[in-house]
Amino acid sequence: MLNPEMSLDMDGKPAALRDGFGKALLELGEKDPNVWVLTADVSESTRTHWFAEKFPKRFVQVGVAEQNLAGTAAGIAACGKTAIISAFGAFNPGRNFDQIRVSICYNDVKVIIHASHTGITVGPDGASHQMLEDIAMMRALPNMTVFVPADAEEARKATLAAHSIKGPAYIRTGREKFPVFTTEKTPFIPGKANVLRDGSDVAIFACGVEVYQALKAAEMLEKEGIKAAVINVHTIKPLDRETILSYAKKCGLSVSVEEHQVNGGLGSAIAELLAEENCKLFRHGIHNTFAESGEAPELMKKYKLDAQGIYEFVKVKI
Amino acid sequence: MRIKVTSLKQLQLIANTIRQDLVNMLEEAKSGHSAGSIGLADIFTALYFNVIYHDPQNPQWEGRDRFVLSNGHVCPVLYAVLANAGYFPKEELMTLRKLGSRLQGHPHRGTLPGIETSSGPLGQGISQAVGMAIVAKAEKRKWRVYCVMSDGEHQEGQVWEAAMLASKYKLGNLTIIIDRNNIQIDGFTEEIMPLEPFVEKYKSFGWHVLEVDGHNIQKIIEACEESKAIYEKPTVIIAHTIPGKGIPFMEFLTEWHGKSPTKEQAEEARKILIEGRKEIEST
Ligand SMILES: Cc1ncc(C[n+]2csc(CCOP(=O)(O)OP(=O)(O)O)c2C)c(N)n1
Ligand SMILES: [Mg+2]
């Protein structure tokens, strides 16, 4: 049963998470004259073109130059602005880690880093473009907050939240359209995981597009009498220790699900926490491999990151 | 406001003080980058005691020119001018690189007043300087952006990404000064990875290019003044310097890129600098 307070719409229309990000930029541009947006030759793909059309004076196109993208944003932010940079995850933060580390995080300036194409659901472009190591990189950085929103509406909220908190933030979204199952009323508090479904047999901790799949898997498990809790860990850093620990203890068995390498991502973050508390965790995600070209649903099936795959994973572990 | 020392002799005396401070600091720290720091003493003196608008009593003054140090390893020279300008007590210079010091081995924004950006990884300063200049231009601010870079760091691709962006935005409010000392860690730039033709490179990127003798304080000031008069382009001043300038046993030697003087070497350097000071005073 879904937690009614979470106000979910499981039949919601599909939308790309980057659309939620792009919409939030328009809201921010309207309400805060100190918001600047920068991109590296991917304005339409990142949905920053909406902001560019409306606020051309606060939009900077740097060309195919992600290192300079991060550095220029740091300079703009050093003047008291909020600078939002957006490009493909493979290059931002894949290409410009050093610039994010020193020009942004060590300076502790207000730059929001948005990765628009992450995970296997990038699809046909293949492994070089399917960023699967970004959470690991970003959550290791001091001063950084890391958001992995679950759908377009949450991507919008995460973007607004990234603007309102102190210091730099990272927002991970994908390219593909997915059902929008959270609503305007679903709470989004940075650092506070959302329990979307209560349960007592297994706690499924998921982030990003895997949250919806985990909810579907929980419905399948329910039919077999397995009560799975589903927790949306939309903030990877700082991690919501309290909620995660309480569900891990309550259920006795935990599973993490992410569209990312299991080493270094959400699963690792939770494992670090649970190891200290003697709780059992199985991590589901990409296991030390590059993926391949294909349509997003095909890849989710092949890498067992669709509802069926999560269902099977839990069944084996329980 | 700015600290505008106009007497050349006075400026030369300040540069001499900076060099002495550097010798003392690096000796005490027992590590650090001597050649670049000492070679830049004249340029930093010109900037902080004549060219740049800044207020040591109010480091966050909104109207200040923004100074970005890109080649962070030469930060001892920045620390020395900041202390001499009055940002913090001079005694603190002797804490360079030590545990608990505000004078980090490479600069950290927020730790020490007067430091605009953290640096150390080469090639990052110019991007930040460009970002600041874009804001200043968009908001019609009067302040300018100055950025000191090294020659070696021009081997980083990021530098040329930023050079293109500065040109695209016609950043007339941006002045870059390059320490063209011809050395980097592994040897001479032209042997490791040639930068020449340096002037033509920047010209072809759409910059206004000036060349100066980086030890002629008068010429450095004049070049900076000229850069203010160029509205349609960013300006780069390629300042030809001698690494370790003023301390003959360090001059021109790559080996002095990343080491500090021993007690004996520092002693000798001080003697040379004190002699040099007398010479300036007698002119
Ligand atoms: C990105 C990066 N790579 C490598 C280094 C290590 N490094 C420090 S100084 C330096 C030499 C660069 O030459 P230059 O800045 O011209 O040195 P100088 O003239 O001051 O001796 C190198 C490679 C660094 N700081 N940053
Ligand atoms: Mg050099």
Side-chain angles (χ1 to χ4, degrees), chain B residues 17 23 56 62 76 93 103 121 171 195 216 250-251:
Chain B
T17 304
V23 169
E62 174 47 42
L93 288 177
L103 281 63
L171 297 177
L195 296 168
N216 186 329
M250 287 186 189
E251 287 180 359

Side-chain angles (χ1 to χ4, degrees), chain B residues 177-188:
Chain B
I177 299 147
I178 299 173
D179 178 21
R180 183 60 171 129
N181 66 4
N182 293 288
I183 66 161
Q184 56 189 105
I185 294 182
D186 275 351
F188 294 108

